[in-house]
Amino acid sequence: MEKNEELDMAWQLVENTGANVFLTGKAGTGKTTFLRELRRQSPKRMVVLAPTGIAAINAGGSTIHSFFQLPLSPYVPGASFGAKEKRRYQFGKVKRNILRTLDLLVIDEISMVRADLLDAVDSVMRRYRRHDRPFGGVQLLLIGDLQQLAPVVKDDEWEMMKQYYDTPYFFSSKALAMAPCQTIELQKVYRQQDSRFLALLNKIRENRADESTLAELNRRCVPGFVPPPDSDYIRLTTHNYQAQAVNDRELALLPGQAVTYRATVEGTFPENSYPADERLTIKEGAQVMFIKNAPDHSYYNGMIGTVVCAEDDCLRVRSRDSGEVIELEPAEWENTRYTLDESTKEITEAVEGVFRQYPLRLAWAITIHKSQGLTFEHAIIDASRSFAHGQTYVALSRCKSLEGLVLDAPLSREAVISDATVDTFISCAEANRPTPQTLNALQREYVAQTLDELFGFGALAQAVEQMTRTLSEHFYNRCHALLTEYTRAQQSVAVMAGVAEKFGAQYRAILAKEPSAGSSLLQERVHKAAAYFAGQLKPLAALLAKTRVETGNKTVRKQFDDRRATLADELSLKSRLLDYEGRADTEFTTNDYLRRKAAIVLGDEPAETATKTARPKGAAATKGKAGPKAPKLSTREVTHAMFTAGMTVEQIAAERHLTTDTVFGHLAQYVTEDRLPIDQLVTQEHIDTIRNYARMHPDNTRTADIREALGDEISYKEIMLVKRIYGIDNPQ
């Protein structure tokens, strides 16, 4: 990546601090290139999201709504959702682990993200990470240009939101106000190489377009321009009806018989809210755009394609991106009314109607809103009727050169619209750009915060407290001695937390004098403290290992098992991190710590550094009393012995204080060595599902794609094991 001052500062902030970053700049300044390089080189675990399907595809990620399973209703601070919406938050273990081990959350095209959507993300992140910190303590990288298109907010939605938010823009988010961003504006433009065109675009973007600027742009005005046959010109319009007129004309020029597909409507669905054409008329050869995301991800909102079959019982489209032919079924849209109960703060929804139609629209012309994030060699633009902030700038900046641009109507000063709220925010951000001194302070605080996490006992204390409460409420008479031990354990963890807090003051004082994590004094103190706390946790591990209760009450049994599993996970993670950082040959760094934590949670920790685990109770007795001492079993051999004795993966994980992924990994090695049948580890139903998907999608067998298509019920490790055993390709 070409180095410059802004890019270097952005890179340092993202890589070496935990600060939130807002990366902005004119169209074509390399924001997407920066993201691509970050994904390729950064050791941080990241997820890349965007507000729309087409933006998500361009960024190589998912939409915000789909990743977080968010409802389409507005979100207001402190609100909850009805029973139907609550089910959306029941993440599987894989998704929960992704959230737990996430270091960096990237949101592209942030200008189109509403404040309430960002707060909804904050709510989910706090649920699965740290409740006491905005976005669960994960770092944010927000990428976009506020001079481009603004968020879309319907009037009825704004009525609900306006009592909580000053503006619909992302920077009005309540959560973001508690975790402000460092703003970096990229200056060098890479997309357009024509300096004259760049100067014109900058004046439009910054609302400085004078008469000479408009006159120069209007020299590209050719009313009624007809592009050459088979050219790649696309028309951009401000309103849907303009695009429709162009598309109807182009459709009429195609040979062949047109086919009309009529929508069906159930219940109440106002005509002015129809999400697609009530009568969709197309022909083979028509250029179309998808207007909805497919549940199976075969197409996305904004994808361009060509109709290859249009008959009464057949509608197929070839994607311009991939060349894949997609057979379509009608899609559904719901007319949903959202209401907010002021007393309970619960948002409820009622489906009043359903609209069914093929998710297509003719696309020789598209609206400027649909073009954000795209780049064209040639475009015919009519922005004379612009009505929204940034609309004209977005349209013009889609083109790579002035020569590739044709104006269908002349631009006037009224077509260049700017939002004073955005201008004020940008001015304040520019006045507070990060300096080298700011960077140094943020780097020092990042090291301190990572150490705070390593030596923090809040989550563990909560897990012990929950287990103690369960024993007290349901097993007081039968397990009084065990309850007494847990009460003492609570006190012990509280003492550890107090010692850790005092140690926190020490390492902050060291960092104040020498801000680098590589300080020999800091390394020495971290090693000693980690080893000390690891030793202090051993009695708790022994207590957990012998914690067993009997009950016939299924509800109580589930609560006990859940809380024991939570305590086991928290204790295992904390003990293994402290063991690792307490080793003399370990150098504490923030990135190494993050990698180690993720490996432990995901079950990928190298065997030679994993915490040693005692042999299961009674295992030695099977060797007999008289013979020589049995050789020590390896950690995976212990797992295998317990599995073949009839214990489940979950039971082994709880018994040995490991994650289920670690146990699965141990057993998977026996499967690959042909010492354990795969159907004993992966159900035959899951095996068949994975193999059937691979047969139907031979060119799309990446593990991530299969996982996305099959959902949370099937884990990454199951997919990888089935692929390996059955020889399913995995193209990179």
Side-chain angles (χ1 to χ4, degrees), residues 424-623:
T424 300
F425 172 80
I426 291 174
S427 297
C428 293
E430 289 178 346
N432 293 284
R433 292 179 181 176
T435 64
Q437 292 74 26
T438 304
L439 178 61
N440 288 337
L442 290 170
Q443 289 174 328
R444 181 168 57 246
E445 182 59 24
Y446 184 45
V447 175
Q449 288 177 350
T450 306
L451 290 170
D452 289 345
E453 181 178 295
L454 173 61
F455 295 109
F457 291 91
L460 182 61
Q462 183 179 25
V464 174
E465 188 274 333
Q466 291 289 333
M467 175 61 80
T468 307
R469 183 182 299 178
T470 295
L471 293 172
S472 174
E473 292 175 353
H474 302 291
F475 302 97
Y476 180 83
N477 293 326
R478 285 175 289 166
C479 305
H480 186 72
L482 187 64
L483 175 59
T484 300
E485 289 190 76
Y486 268 96
T487 302
R488 291 171 181 163
Q490 268 190 279
Q491 296 169 350
S492 176
V493 173
V495 170
M496 279 186 268
V499 175
E501 186 175 352
K502 292 178 180 178
F503 179 53
Q506 291 183 31
Y507 57 69
R508 274 184 157 74
I510 295 172
L511 287 168
K513 296 178 180 178
E514 192 170 349
S516 169
S519 157
S520 58
L521 178 58
L522 181 67
Q523 292 291 326
E524 178 188 356
R525 294 292 177 84
V526 168
H527 290 324
K528 288 183 177 179
Y532 166 77
F533 285 115
Q536 293 296 303
L537 290 177
K538 292 187 183 301
L540 179 57
L543 173 60
L544 181 63
K546 70 177 185 180
T547 301
R548 297 287 184 273
V549 297
E550 296 296 333
T551 178
N553 187 314
K554 292 183 178 179
T555 302
V556 173
R557 165 56 62 187
K558 183 178 187 309
Q559 183 189 94
F560 174 83
D561 289 345
D562 288 347
R563 290 185 173 179
R564 188 183 189 283
T566 298
L567 176 54
D569 285 344
E570 292 293 345
L571 180 57
S572 174
L573 177 62
K574 181 62 65 176
S575 296
R576 292 162 76 180
L577 283 172
L578 289 169
D579 279 342
Y580 176 72
E581 297 295 351
R583 288 172 37 172
D585 60 344
T586 299
E587 179 183 2
F588 172 80
T589 69
T590 52
N591 284 338
D592 183 63
Y593 170 81
L594 294 174
R595 280 192 291 263
R596 177 61 48 171
K597 181 180 72 170
I600 293 172
V601 172
L602 300 175
D604 296 329
E605 187 183 20
E608 68 274 9
T609 61
T611 304
K612 292 183 174 64
T613 307
R615 185 192 311 272
K617 201 172 184 179
T622 60
K623 294 293 180 181

Side-chain angles (χ1 to χ4, degrees), residues 255-267:
Q257 183 69 34
V259 178
T260 299
Y261 302 92
R262 295 185 64 93
T264 60
V265 179
E266 294 179 7

Side-chain angles (χ1 to χ4, degrees), residues 337-353:
R337 180 171 56 87
Y338 299 103
T339 59
L340 176 65
D341 188 314
E342 293 294 342
S343 59
T344 65
K345 292 295 182 182
E346 182 172 290
I347 295 174
T348 59
E349 68 166 21
V351 177
E352 298 183 332

Side-chain angles (χ1 to χ4, degrees), residues 288-327:
V288 292
M289 181 172 67
F290 289 88
I291 54 175
K292 191 176 177 68
N293 296 325
D296 63 356
H297 307 282
S298 57
Y299 56 82
Y300 58 88
N301 185 10
M303 189 171 86
I304 302 292
T306 303
V307 176
V308 295
C309 177
E311 300 173 358
D312 290 340
D313 59 351
C314 170
L315 181 52
R316 292 198 294 268
V317 176
R318 176 177 286 109
S319 166
R320 176 180 288 182
D321 293 343
S322 66
E324 179 183 357
V325 175
I326 304 163
E327 187 157 354

Side-chain angles (χ1 to χ4, degrees), residues 83-153:
K84 179 178 178 181
E85 297 299 352
K86 287 179 182 176
R87 289 196 295 272
R88 296 175 182 265
Y89 296 105
Q90 303 304 311
F91 294 150
K93 183 163 186 179
V94 171
K95 178 64 71 66
R96 294 198 302 271
N97 281 343
I98 290 173
L99 295 177
R100 286 183 67 195
T101 60
L102 192 63
D103 303 319
L104 178 65
L105 176 62
V106 182
I107 301 180
D108 200 12
E109 297 291 1
I110 190 64
S111 72
M112 300 174 71
V113 175
R114 291 183 352 191
D116 64 315
L117 180 56
L118 208 54
D119 282 345
V121 170
D122 167 69
S123 177
V124 176
M125 294 296 289
R126 286 179 190 249
R127 179 189 301 241
Y128 290 101
R129 291 175 58 90
R130 294 186 58 177
H131 295 262
D132 61 329
R133 296 184 62 186
F135 303 98
V138 75
Q139 183 182 24
L140 300 182
L141 171 59
L142 310 178
I143 303 176
D145 181 4
L146 277 169
Q147 299 292 13
Q148 297 191 35
L149 294 174
V152 176
V153 186

Side-chain angles (χ1 to χ4, degrees), residues 616-692:
K617 201 172 184 179
T622 60
K623 294 293 180 181
K625 298 179 180 179
K629 185 176 180 181
K632 185 174 182 179
L633 297 176
S634 70
T635 184
R636 73 184 185 105
E637 287 172 330
V638 173
T639 295
H640 183 250
M642 297 170 74
F643 187 75
T644 54
M647 295 181 69
T648 66
V649 169
E650 290 74 18
Q651 290 169 336
I652 297 169
E655 177 73 22
R656 304 195 61 204
H657 319 311
L658 303 174
T659 67
T660 55
D661 282 347
T662 298
V663 174
F664 187 98
H666 291 169
L667 297 173
Q669 294 182 56
Y670 284 87
V671 175
T672 58
E673 294 166 2
D674 203 23
R675 298 167 63 188
L676 181 71
I678 187 174
D679 59 4
Q680 288 191 22
L681 189 56
V682 182
T683 66
Q684 191 61 50
E685 179 185 1
H686 283 192
I687 294 171
D688 293 342
T689 300
I690 296 166
R691 296 184 69 192
N692 288 338

